[in-house]
Amino acid sequence: LRSKLTSDAEKESIMMFGRNLRQLLLMSPVRGRTMMGVDPGYKHGCKLAIISPTSQILHTDVVYLHSGQGFREGEKIRRLLLHYKYDDEAFIKL
């Protein structure tokens, strides 16, 4: 029973992230800005999506900041932000 409930919760979490991301992708793009959406999570990690100024998905990833590897995961986020020339004024938290 617990395994089924856990599985159902994971599926719902992924569906919720998809719904939130869909709403963001349907928004008018912010002219000339790359955005990062973050779906915070503890056990299953924080889901990230980097969106282009034309609303294309450039990159998706999951980081586990609470796994004891927080510094390394933070560096992964920093590298992504630098690579995609992220603009912190366009930050949107799901």
Side-chain angles (χ1 to χ4, degrees):
L1 180 61
R2 182 178 179 165
S3 177
K4 168 114 175 71
L5 291 173
T6 300
S7 176
D8 291 348
E10 289 173 354
K11 289 176 187 174
E12 179 59 29
S13 174
I14 292 169
M15 288 174 44
M16 177 63 73
F17 178 72
R19 286 191 298 267
N20 290 341
L21 182 59
R22 179 172 161 63
Q23 289 174 349
L24 289 175
L25 292 174
L26 292 175
M27 289 175 31
S28 297
V30 178
R31 176 173 262 156
R33 298 217 173 152
T34 299
M35 296 185 292
M36 172 185 262
V38 179
D39 180 22
Y42 185 79
K43 185 174 180 181
H44 298 287
C46 296
K47 285 72 126 191
L48 310 174
I50 298 178
I51 312 297
S52 77
T54 58
S55 297
Q56 294 177 324
I57 299 174
L58 300 175
H59 186 85
T60 59
D61 212 330
V62 178
V63 292
Y64 298 90
L65 300 173
H66 296 75
S67 67
Q69 309 258 345
F71 182 76
R72 192 169 81 189
E73 295 290 274
E75 283 296 311
K76 182 196 292 187
I77 293 171
R78 188 180 74 78
R79 283 192 310 272
L80 286 171
L81 296 176
L82 292 173
H83 181 320
Y84 291 104
K85 296 173 179 60
Y86 169 74
D87 183 351
D88 65 351
E89 293 178 18
F91 182 78
I92 297 174
K93 183 177 176 183
L94 296 176

Coordinates of all heavy atoms in Angstrom, one line a residue:
L1 N 0.8 -1.2 0.0 CA 0.0 0.0 0.0 C 0.9 1.3 0.0 O 0.6 2.2 -0.8 CB -0.9 0.0 1.2 CG -1.9 1.2 1.3 CD1 -2.8 1.3 0.1 CD2 -2.6 1.1 2.6
R2 N 1.9 1.2 0.8 CA 2.8 2.4 0.9 C 3.5 2.6 -0.4 O 3.7 3.8 -0.9 CB 3.8 2.2 2.0 CG 4.7 3.4 2.2 CD 5.7 3.3 3.3 NE 6.5 4.5 3.3 CZ 7.2 4.8 4.3 NH1 7.2 4.1 5.4 NH2 8.0 5.9 4.3
S3 N 4.0 1.6 -1.1 CA 4.6 1.7 -2.3 C 3.7 2.3 -3.4 O 4.1 3.1 -4.2 CB 5.1 0.3 -2.8 OG 5.7 0.3 -4.1
K4 N 2.4 1.8 -3.4 CA 1.4 2.4 -4.3 C 1.2 3.9 -4.1 O 1.2 4.7 -5.0 CB 0.1 1.6 -4.2 CG -1.0 2.3 -4.9 CD -1.5 1.4 -6.0 CE -2.8 2.0 -6.7 NZ -2.6 3.2 -7.5
L5 N 1.1 4.3 -2.8 CA 0.9 5.7 -2.5 C 2.1 6.5 -2.9 O 1.9 7.6 -3.4 CB 0.6 5.8 -1.0 CG -0.7 5.3 -0.5 CD1 -0.8 5.4 1.0 CD2 -1.9 6.0 -1.1
T6 N 3.3 6.0 -2.7 CA 4.5 6.7 -3.1 C 4.5 6.9 -4.6 O 4.8 7.9 -5.1 CB 5.8 6.0 -2.6 OG1 5.7 5.9 -1.2 CG2 7.0 6.7 -3.0
S7 N 4.2 5.8 -5.3 CA 4.2 5.8 -6.8 C 3.2 6.9 -7.3 O 3.5 7.7 -8.2 CB 3.9 4.5 -7.3 OG 3.8 4.5 -8.7
D8 N 2.0 6.9 -6.7 CA 1.0 7.8 -7.1 C 1.4 9.2 -6.8 O 1.2 10.1 -7.6 CB -0.3 7.5 -6.3 CG -1.0 6.2 -6.8 OD1 -0.6 5.7 -7.9 OD2 -1.9 5.8 -6.1
A9 N 2.1 9.5 -5.6 CA 2.5 10.8 -5.3 C 3.6 11.3 -6.3 O 3.6 12.5 -6.7 CB 3.1 10.8 -3.9
E10 N 4.5 10.4 -6.7 CA 5.5 10.8 -7.6 C 4.9 11.1 -9.0 O 5.3 12.1 -9.6 CB 6.5 9.6 -7.8 CG 7.4 9.4 -6.6 CD 8.3 8.2 -6.7 OE1 8.1 7.4 -7.7 OE2 9.1 8.0 -5.8
K11 N 4.0 10.4 -9.4 CA 3.3 10.6 -10.7 C 2.6 12.0 -10.6 O 2.7 12.8 -11.6 CB 2.3 9.5 -11.0 CG 3.0 8.2 -11.4 CD 2.0 7.2 -11.7 CE 2.6 5.8 -11.9 NZ 1.7 4.7 -12.0
E12 N 1.9 12.3 -9.5 CA 1.2 13.5 -9.4 C 2.2 14.7 -9.4 O 1.9 15.8 -9.9 CB 0.3 13.5 -8.1 CG -0.4 14.8 -7.9 CD -1.4 15.2 -9.0 OE1 -1.9 14.3 -9.7 OE2 -1.6 16.4 -9.2
S13 N 3.3 14.5 -8.7 CA 4.3 15.6 -8.6 C 4.8 15.9 -10.1 O 5.0 17.1 -10.4 CB 5.5 15.1 -7.8 OG 6.6 16.0 -7.8
I14 N 5.1 14.9 -10.8 CA 5.6 15.1 -12.2 C 4.5 15.8 -13.1 O 4.8 16.7 -13.8 CB 6.0 13.8 -12.9 CG1 7.3 13.3 -12.2 CG2 6.2 13.9 -14.4 CD1 7.7 11.9 -12.5
M15 N 3.2 15.4 -12.9 CA 2.1 16.0 -13.6 C 2.0 17.4 -13.2 O 1.7 18.3 -14.1 CB 0.8 15.2 -13.4 CG 0.8 13.8 -14.1 SD -0.6 12.8 -13.7 CE -1.9 13.8 -13.8
M16 N 2.1 17.7 -11.9 CA 2.0 19.1 -11.5 C 3.1 20.0 -12.1 O 2.8 21.1 -12.5 CB 2.0 19.2 -10.0 CG 2.0 20.6 -9.4 SD 0.4 21.5 -9.7 CE -0.7 20.6 -8.6
F17 N 4.3 19.5 -12.1 CA 5.4 20.2 -12.7 C 5.1 20.5 -14.2 O 5.3 21.6 -14.7 CB 6.7 19.4 -12.5 CG 7.9 20.1 -13.2 CD1 8.4 21.3 -12.6 CD2 8.4 19.6 -14.3 CE1 9.5 21.9 -13.2 CE2 9.5 20.3 -14.9 CZ 10.0 21.4 -14.3
G18 N 4.6 19.5 -14.9 CA 4.3 19.6 -16.3 C 3.2 20.7 -16.5 O 3.3 21.5 -17.4
R19 N 2.2 20.7 -15.6 CA 1.1 21.7 -15.8 C 1.6 23.1 -15.5 O 1.3 24.0 -16.3 CB 0.0 21.4 -14.8 CG -0.9 20.2 -15.2 CD -2.2 20.1 -14.4 NE -1.9 19.9 -13.0 CZ -1.9 18.7 -12.4 NH1 -2.1 17.6 -13.1 NH2 -1.6 18.6 -11.1
N20 N 2.5 23.2 -14.5 CA 3.0 24.5 -14.2 C 4.0 25.0 -15.3 O 3.9 26.2 -15.8 CB 3.8 24.5 -12.9 CG 2.9 24.4 -11.7 OD1 1.7 24.7 -11.8 ND2 3.5 24.0 -10.6
L21 N 4.8 24.1 -15.9 CA 5.7 24.4 -16.9 C 4.9 24.8 -18.2 O 5.2 25.8 -18.9 CB 6.6 23.3 -17.2 CG 7.7 23.5 -18.3 CD1 8.5 24.7 -17.9 CD2 8.5 22.3 -18.5
R22 N 3.8 24.1 -18.5 CA 3.0 24.4 -19.6 C 2.4 25.8 -19.5 O 2.4 26.5 -20.5 CB 1.8 23.3 -19.7 CG 0.9 23.6 -20.9 CD -0.1 22.4 -20.9 NE -1.3 22.6 -21.7 CZ -1.4 22.9 -23.0 NH1 -0.3 23.0 -23.7 NH2 -2.5 23.1 -23.6
Q23 N 1.9 26.2 -18.4 CA 1.4 27.5 -18.2 C 2.5 28.6 -18.5 O 2.2 29.6 -19.1 CB 0.9 27.7 -16.8 CG -0.4 27.0 -16.5 CD -0.9 27.1 -15.1 OE1 -0.1 27.5 -14.2 NE2 -2.1 26.6 -14.8
L24 N 3.7 28.3 -18.0 CA 4.8 29.2 -18.3 C 5.2 29.3 -19.8 O 5.4 30.4 -20.3 CB 6.0 28.8 -17.5 CG 6.0 29.1 -16.0 CD1 7.2 28.5 -15.3 CD2 5.8 30.5 -15.7
L25 N 5.2 28.1 -20.4 CA 5.5 28.1 -21.8 C 4.5 28.8 -22.7 O 4.8 29.3 -23.8 CB 5.7 26.7 -22.3 CG 7.0 26.0 -21.7 CD1 7.0 24.5 -22.1 CD2 8.2 26.7 -22.1
L26 N 3.2 28.8 -22.2 CA 2.2 29.5 -23.0 C 2.1 31.0 -22.8 O 1.5 31.7 -23.5 CB 0.8 28.9 -22.6 CG 0.6 27.4 -23.1 CD1 -0.7 26.9 -22.6 CD2 0.7 27.3 -24.6
M27 N 2.9 31.5 -21.8 CA 3.0 32.9 -21.6 C 3.7 33.5 -22.7 O 4.5 32.9 -23.4 CB 3.8 33.2 -20.3 CG 3.0 32.9 -19.0 SD 4.0 33.1 -17.5 CE 5.1 34.4 -17.9
S28 N 3.5 34.8 -23.0 CA 4.3 35.5 -23.9 C 5.7 35.6 -23.5 O 6.0 35.8 -22.3 CB 3.7 37.0 -24.1 OG 2.4 37.0 -24.5
P29 N 6.6 35.4 -24.4 CA 8.0 35.4 -24.0 C 8.4 36.8 -23.5 O 7.9 37.8 -23.9 CB 8.8 35.0 -25.2 CG 7.9 35.3 -26.3 CD 6.5 35.1 -25.8
V30 N 9.4 36.8 -22.6 CA 9.9 38.0 -22.1 C 11.0 38.4 -23.1 O 12.0 37.7 -23.3 CB 10.5 37.9 -20.7 CG1 11.2 39.2 -20.2 CG2 9.5 37.4 -19.7
R31 N 10.8 39.5 -23.8 CA 11.6 39.9 -24.9 C 13.1 39.9 -24.5 O 13.5 40.6 -23.6 CB 11.2 41.3 -25.4 CG 12.2 41.8 -26.5 CD 11.7 43.0 -27.1 NE 11.0 42.6 -28.3 CZ 10.0 43.3 -28.9 NH1 9.6 44.4 -28.4 NH2 9.4 42.9 -30.0
G32 N 13.9 39.1 -25.2 CA 15.3 39.1 -25.0 C 15.8 38.5 -23.7 O 17.0 38.7 -23.4
R33 N 15.0 37.7 -23.0 CA 15.5 37.2 -21.7 C 15.3 35.7 -21.7 O 14.3 35.1 -22.1 CB 14.6 37.8 -20.6 CG 14.8 39.3 -20.5 CD 14.9 39.7 -19.1 NE 15.2 41.1 -19.1 CZ 14.8 41.9 -18.1 NH1 14.1 41.5 -17.2 NH2 15.2 43.2 -18.2
T34 N 16.3 35.0 -21.2 CA 16.3 33.6 -20.9 C 15.8 33.4 -19.4 O 16.3 34.2 -18.6 CB 17.7 33.0 -21.1 OG1 18.1 33.2 -22.5 CG2 17.7 31.5 -20.8
M35 N 14.9 32.5 -19.2 CA 14.4 32.3 -17.9 C 14.7 30.9 -17.4 O 14.8 30.0 -18.1 CB 12.9 32.5 -17.9 CG 12.5 33.9 -18.2 SD 10.7 34.2 -18.1 CE 10.1 33.2 -19.4
M36 N 14.7 30.8 -16.0 CA 14.8 29.5 -15.4 C 13.6 29.3 -14.5 O 13.4 30.2 -13.6 CB 16.1 29.4 -14.6 CG 16.2 28.1 -13.8 SD 17.6 28.0 -12.7 CE 18.7 27.0 -13.7
G37 N 12.9 28.2 -14.7 CA 11.8 27.9 -13.8 C 12.3 26.8 -12.8 O 13.1 25.9 -13.2
V38 N 11.9 26.9 -11.6 CA 12.3 25.9 -10.5 C 11.1 25.4 -9.8 O 10.3 26.1 -9.3 CB 13.3 26.6 -9.5 CG1 13.7 25.6 -8.4 CG2 14.5 27.2 -10.2
D39 N 11.0 24.1 -9.8 CA 10.0 23.4 -9.0 C 10.7 22.8 -7.8 O 11.4 21.8 -7.9 CB 9.3 22.3 -9.8 CG 8.2 21.6 -9.0 OD1 7.7 22.1 -8.0 OD2 7.9 20.4 -9.4
P40 N 10.6 23.4 -6.6 CA 11.4 23.0 -5.5 C 10.9 21.6 -5.0 O 9.8 21.3 -5.0 CB 11.2 24.1 -4.4 CG 9.9 24.7 -4.8 CD 9.8 24.6 -6.3
G41 N 11.9 20.8 -4.6 CA 11.6 19.5 -4.0 C 12.7 19.1 -3.1 O 13.8 19.5 -3.2
Y42 N 12.3 18.3 -2.1 CA 13.3 17.8 -1.1 C 13.7 16.4 -1.5 O 14.9 16.2 -1.8 CB 12.7 17.9 0.3 CG 13.7 17.5 1.4 CD1 14.6 18.5 1.8 CD2 13.7 16.3 2.0 CE1 15.5 18.2 2.8 CE2 14.6 16.0 2.9 CZ 15.5 16.9 3.3 OH 16.4 16.6 4.3
K43 N 12.8 15.5 -1.4 CA 13.2 14.1 -1.6 C 13.5 13.7 -3.0 O 14.5 13.0 -3.3 CB 12.0 13.2 -1.1 CG 12.4 11.7 -1.1 CD 11.3 10.9 -0.5 CE 11.6 9.4 -0.5 NZ 10.6 8.6 0.0
H44 N 12.8 14.3 -3.9 CA 12.9 13.9 -5.4 C 13.7 15.0 -6.1 O 13.6 15.0 -7.4 CB 11.6 13.6 -6.0 CG 10.9 12.4 -5.4 ND1 11.4 11.1 -5.6 CD2 9.9 12.3 -4.5 CE1 10.6 10.3 -4.8 NE2 9.7 11.0 -4.2
G45 N 14.3 16.0 -5.4 CA 15.1 17.0 -6.1 C 14.3 18.2 -6.6 O 13.1 18.1 -6.7
C46 N 15.0 19.2 -6.9 CA 14.4 20.4 -7.5 C 14.5 20.3 -9.0 O 15.6 20.0 -9.6 CB 15.2 21.7 -7.1 SG 15.2 22.0 -5.3
K47 N 13.4 20.4 -9.7 CA 13.3 20.3 -11.1 C 13.6 21.7 -11.7 O 13.0 22.7 -11.2 CB 12.0 19.8 -11.6 CG 11.8 18.3 -11.4 CD 11.5 18.0 -10.0 CE 10.3 17.2 -9.7 NZ 10.1 17.2 -8.2
L48 N 14.4 21.7 -12.7 CA 14.8 23.0 -13.4 C 14.4 23.0 -14.8 O 14.5 21.9 -15.5 CB 16.3 23.2 -13.3 CG 17.0 23.1 -12.0 CD1 18.5 23.2 -12.2 CD2 16.5 24.1 -11.0
A49 N 14.0 24.1 -15.4 CA 13.8 24.2 -16.8 C 14.3 25.6 -17.2 O 14.0 26.6 -16.6 CB 12.3 24.1 -17.1
I50 N 15.1 25.6 -18.2 CA 15.6 26.9 -18.8 C 14.9 27.1 -20.1 O 14.9 26.2 -21.0 CB 17.2 26.8 -19.0 CG1 17.8 26.6 -17.6 CG2 17.7 28.1 -19.6 CD1 19.3 26.5 -17.6
I51 N 14.3 28.3 -20.2 CA 13.4 28.6 -21.3 C 14.1 29.8 -22.1 O 14.5 30.8 -21.5 CB 12.0 29.0 -20.8 CG1 11.5 28.0 -19.8 CG2 11.1 29.3 -22.0 CD1 11.3 26.7 -20.3
S52 N 14.1 29.7 -23.4 CA 14.6 30.7 -24.3 C 13.7 31.9 -24.4 O 12.5 31.8 -24.0 CB 14.9 30.2 -25.7 OG 13.7 30.1 -26.4
P53 N 14.2 33.0 -24.9 CA 13.3 34.2 -25.1 C 12.1 33.9 -26.0 O 11.2 34.7 -26.0 CB 14.3 35.3 -25.7 CG 15.6 34.8 -25.2 CD 15.6 33.3 -25.2
T54 N 12.2 32.9 -26.8 CA 11.1 32.5 -27.7 C 10.3 31.4 -27.2 O 9.6 30.7 -27.9 CB 11.6 32.2 -29.1 OG1 12.6 31.1 -29.0 CG2 12.3 33.4 -29.8
S55 N 10.4 31.1 -25.9 CA 9.7 30.0 -25.2 C 10.0 28.6 -25.5 O 9.3 27.7 -25.3 CB 8.2 30.2 -25.3 OG 7.8 31.4 -24.7
Q56 N 11.2 28.4 -26.1 CA 11.7 27.0 -26.3 C 12.4 26.5 -25.1 O 13.1 27.2 -24.4 CB 12.7 27.0 -27.5 CG 12.1 27.4 -28.8 CD 13.2 27.4 -29.9 OE1 14.3 27.8 -29.7 NE2 12.8 27.0 -31.1
I57 N 12.2 25.2 -24.8 CA 12.9 24.6 -23.7 C 14.3 24.3 -24.1 O 14.6 23.6 -25.0 CB 12.2 23.3 -23.3 CG1 10.8 23.5 -22.9 CG2 13.0 22.6 -22.2 CD1 10.0 22.2 -22.6
L58 N 15.2 25.0 -23.4 CA 16.7 24.8 -23.7 C 17.3 23.7 -22.9 O 18.2 23.0 -23.4 CB 17.4 26.1 -23.4 CG 17.0 27.4 -24.2 CD1 17.7 28.6 -23.7 CD2 17.2 27.2 -25.7
H59 N 16.8 23.5 -21.7 CA 17.4 22.5 -20.9 C 16.5 22.2 -19.7 O 15.9 23.1 -19.2 CB 18.8 23.0 -20.3 CG 19.6 22.0 -19.5 ND1 20.4 21.1 -20.1 CD2 19.6 21.7 -18.2 CE1 20.9 20.3 -19.2 NE2 20.5 20.7 -18.0
T60 N 16.5 20.9 -19.3 CA 15.8 20.5 -18.1 C 16.7 19.7 -17.3 O 17.6 19.0 -17.8 CB 14.5 19.7 -18.3 OG1 14.8 18.5 -19.1 CG2 13.5 20.5 -19.1
D61 N 16.6 19.7 -16.0 CA 17.5 19.0 -15.1 C 16.8 18.8 -13.7 O 15.8 19.5 -13.4 CB 18.8 19.7 -14.9 CG 20.0 18.8 -14.8 OD1 19.8 17.7 -14.2 OD2 21.1 19.2 -15.2
V62 N 17.4 18.0 -12.9 CA 17.0 17.8 -11.5 C 18.3 18.0 -10.7 O 19.3 17.4 -11.0 CB 16.3 16.4 -11.3 CG1 16.0 16.3 -9.8 CG2 15.1 16.3 -12.2
V63 N 18.2 18.7 -9.6 CA 19.3 18.9 -8.7 C 18.8 18.4 -7.3 O 17.7 18.7 -6.9 CB 19.9 20.3 -8.6 CG1 20.6 20.6 -10.0 CG2 18.8 21.3 -8.3
Y64 N 19.7 17.8 -6.6 CA 19.5 17.3 -5.2 C 20.3 18.1 -4.2 O 21.4 17.7 -3.9 CB 19.8 15.8 -5.1 CG 18.9 15.0 -6.1 CD1 19.3 14.8 -7.4 CD2 17.7 14.6 -5.7 CE1 18.5 14.1 -8.3 CE2 16.9 13.8 -6.6 CZ 17.3 13.6 -7.8 OH 16.5 12.9 -8.7
L65 N 19.8 19.2 -3.8 CA 20.5 20.1 -3.0 C 20.7 19.6 -1.5 O 21.6 20.1 -0.8 CB 19.9 21.5 -3.0 CG 19.8 22.2 -4.3 CD1 19.0 23.5 -4.3 CD2 21.2 22.5 -4.9
H66 N 19.8 18.7 -1.1 CA 19.9 18.2 0.3 C 20.5 16.9 0.4 O 20.4 16.2 1.4 CB 18.4 18.2 0.8 CG 17.8 19.5 0.9 ND1 17.3 20.2 -0.2 CD2 17.5 20.3 2.0 CE1 16.8 21.3 0.2 NE2 16.9 21.4 1.5
S67 N 21.2 16.4 -0.6 CA 21.7 15.1 -0.6 C 23.1 15.0 0.0 O 23.8 13.9 -0.1 CB 21.7 14.5 -2.0 OG 22.7 15.2 -2.8
G68 N 23.7 16.1 0.5 CA 25.0 16.1 1.0 C 26.0 16.5 -0.1 O 27.2 16.6 0.1
Q69 N 25.5 16.7 -1.3 CA 26.2 17.1 -2.4 C 25.8 18.5 -2.9 O 25.9 18.9 -4.0 CB 26.0 16.1 -3.6 CG 26.2 14.7 -3.2 CD 27.6 14.2 -3.7 OE1 28.2 14.8 -4.5 NE2 28.0 13.1 -3.2
G70 N 25.3 19.3 -1.9 CA 24.7 20.6 -2.2 C 25.7 21.5 -3.0 O 25.3 22.2 -3.9
F71 N 26.9 21.6 -2.6 CA 27.9 22.5 -3.2 C 28.1 22.1 -4.7 O 28.1 22.9 -5.6 CB 29.2 22.4 -2.5 CG 30.2 23.4 -3.1 CD1 30.1 24.7 -2.9 CD2 31.2 22.9 -3.9 CE1 31.1 25.6 -3.5 CE2 32.2 23.7 -4.5 CZ 32.1 25.1 -4.3
R72 N 28.2 20.8 -4.9 CA 28.4 20.3 -6.3 C 27.2 20.6 -7.1 O 27.3 21.0 -8.3 CB 28.7 18.8 -6.3 CG 29.2 18.3 -7.7 CD 29.8 17.0 -7.7 NE 28.7 16.0 -7.7 CZ 28.8 14.8 -7.5 NH1 30.0 14.3 -7.2 NH2 27.8 14.0 -7.5
E73 N 26.0 20.4 -6.6 CA 24.7 20.7 -7.3 C 24.6 22.2 -7.5 O 24.1 22.6 -8.6 CB 23.5 20.1 -6.5 CG 23.5 18.6 -6.3 CD 23.3 17.9 -7.7 OE1 22.1 17.7 -8.0 OE2 24.2 17.5 -8.4
G74 N 25.0 23.0 -6.6 CA 25.0 24.4 -6.7 C 25.9 24.8 -7.9 O 25.5 25.7 -8.7
E75 N 27.0 24.2 -8.0 CA 27.9 24.5 -9.1 C 27.3 24.1 -10.4 O 27.5 24.8 -11.4 CB 29.3 23.7 -8.9 CG 30.2 24.4 -7.9 CD 30.6 25.7 -8.3 OE1 31.1 25.9 -9.5 OE2 30.5 26.7 -7.5
K76 N 26.5 23.0 -10.5 CA 25.8 22.6 -11.7 C 24.9 23.7 -12.1 O 24.8 24.1 -13.3 CB 25.1 21.3 -11.5 CG 24.4 20.8 -12.7 CD 23.3 19.8 -12.5 CE 23.7 18.4 -12.0 NZ 22.6 17.4 -11.9
I77 N 24.1 24.3 -11.2 CA 23.2 25.3 -11.5 C 23.9 26.6 -12.0 O 23.5 27.2 -13.0 CB 22.3 25.7 -10.2 CG1 21.4 24.5 -9.8 CG2 21.5 27.0 -10.5 CD1 20.7 24.7 -8.5
R78 N 25.0 26.9 -11.3 CA 25.8 28.1 -11.8 C 26.3 27.9 -13.2 O 26.3 28.8 -14.0 CB 27.0 28.3 -10.8 CG 27.8 29.6 -11.0 CD 28.9 29.7 -10.1 NE 30.0 28.8 -10.4 CZ 30.9 29.1 -11.4 NH1 30.8 30.1 -12.1 NH2 31.9 28.2 -11.6
R79 N 26.8 26.7 -13.5 CA 27.3 26.4 -14.9 C 26.2 26.6 -15.9 O 26.4 27.1 -17.0 CB 28.0 25.0 -15.0 CG 29.3 25.0 -14.4 CD 30.1 23.7 -14.7 NE 29.3 22.5 -14.5 CZ 29.3 21.8 -13.3 NH1 30.0 22.3 -12.3 NH2 28.5 20.8 -13.2
L80 N 25.0 26.1 -15.5 CA 23.9 26.2 -16.5 C 23.5 27.7 -16.7 O 23.2 28.1 -17.8 CB 22.6 25.4 -15.9 CG 22.6 23.9 -16.0 CD1 21.5 23.4 -15.2 CD2 22.6 23.5 -17.4
L81 N 23.5 28.4 -15.6 CA 23.1 29.8 -15.7 C 24.1 30.6 -16.6 O 23.8 31.4 -17.4 CB 23.0 30.5 -14.3 CG 21.9 29.9 -13.4 CD1 22.0 30.6 -12.1 CD2 20.5 30.1 -14.1
L82 N 25.4 30.3 -16.4 CA 26.4 31.0 -17.2 C 26.3 30.5 -18.6 O 26.5 31.3 -19.6 CB 27.8 30.7 -16.6 CG 28.1 31.3 -15.3 CD1 29.5 30.8 -14.7 CD2 28.1 32.8 -15.4
H83 N 26.1 29.2 -18.9 CA 26.1 28.7 -20.2 C 24.9 29.3 -21.0 O 25.1 29.7 -22.2 CB 25.9 27.2 -20.2 CG 25.8 26.5 -21.5 ND1 25.2 27.0 -22.6 CD2 26.3 25.4 -22.0 CE1 25.3 26.2 -23.6 NE2 26.0 25.2 -23.3
Y84 N 23.8 29.5 -20.4 CA 22.6 30.0 -21.1 C 22.4 31.5 -20.9 O 21.3 32.1 -21.2 CB 21.3 29.3 -20.6 CG 21.3 27.8 -21.1 CD1 21.6 26.8 -20.3 CD2 21.1 27.5 -22.5 CE1 21.6 25.5 -20.7 CE2 21.1 26.2 -22.9 CZ 21.4 25.2 -22.1 OH 21.4 23.9 -22.5
K85 N 23.4 32.2 -20.3 CA 23.4 33.6 -20.1 C 22.1 34.1 -19.5 O 21.3 34.9 -19.9 CB 23.5 34.4 -21.5 CG 24.9 34.1 -22.1 CD 24.9 34.7 -23.5 CE 26.3 34.5 -24.1 NZ 26.7 33.2 -24.3
Y86 N 21.8 33.4 -18.3 CA 20.6 33.6 -17.5 C 20.5 35.1 -17.0 O 21.5 35.7 -16.6 CB 20.7 32.6 -16.4 CG 19.7 32.9 -15.3 CD1 18.3 32.6 -15.5 CD2 20.0 33.4 -14.1 CE1 17.4 32.8 -14.5 CE2 19.1 33.6 -13.1 CZ 17.8 33.3 -13.3 OH 16.9 33.5 -12.3
D87 N 19.3 35.6 -17.0 CA 19.0 37.0 -16.5 C 18.3 36.8 -15.2 O 17.1 36.4 -15.2 CB 18.2 37.7 -17.6 CG 18.0 39.2 -17.2 OD1 18.3 39.5 -16.0 OD2 17.5 39.9 -18.0
D88 N 18.9 37.2 -14.1 CA 18.2 36.9 -12.8 C 16.9 37.8 -12.6 O 16.1 37.5 -11.7 CB 19.2 37.2 -11.6 CG 19.7 38.6 -11.5 OD1 19.4 39.4 -12.4 OD2 20.3 38.9 -10.5
E89 N 16.7 38.8 -13.4 CA 15.5 39.6 -13.2 C 14.3 38.9 -13.8 O 13.2 39.2 -13.5 CB 15.7 40.9 -14.0 CG 16.7 41.9 -13.3 CD 16.8 43.2 -14.1 OE1 15.9 43.5 -14.9 OE2 17.8 43.8 -13.9
A90 N 14.5 37.8 -14.6 CA 13.4 37.1 -15.2 C 13.1 35.8 -14.4 O 12.4 34.9 -14.9 CB 13.8 36.7 -16.6
F91 N 13.6 35.7 -13.2 CA 13.4 34.5 -12.4 C 12.0 34.3 -12.0 O 11.3 35.2 -11.6 CB 14.3 34.5 -11.1 CG 14.2 33.3 -10.3 CD1 14.9 32.2 -10.6 CD2 13.3 33.3 -9.2 CE1 14.8 31.0 -9.8 CE2 13.2 32.1 -8.4 CZ 13.9 31.0 -8.8
I92 N 11.5 33.1 -12.3 CA 10.1 32.7 -11.9 C 10.1 31.4 -11.1 O 10.7 30.4 -11.5 CB 9.2 32.5 -13.2 CG1 9.1 33.8 -14.0 CG2 7.8 32.0 -12.8 CD1 8.4 33.6 -15.3
K93 N 9.5 31.4 -10.0 CA 9.5 30.2 -9.1 C 8.1 29.6 -9.3 O 7.1 30.3 -9.1 CB 9.7 30.6 -7.7 CG 9.7 29.4 -6.8 CD 10.1 29.8 -5.3 CE 10.0 28.6 -4.4 NZ 10.2 29.0 -3.0
L94 N 8.0 28.3 -9.6 CA 6.8 27.6 -9.8 C 6.1 27.4 -8.5 O 6.7 27.1 -7.5 CB 7.0 26.3 -10.5 CG 7.5 26.4 -11.9 CD1 7.7 24.9 -12.4 CD2 6.5 27.0 -12.8

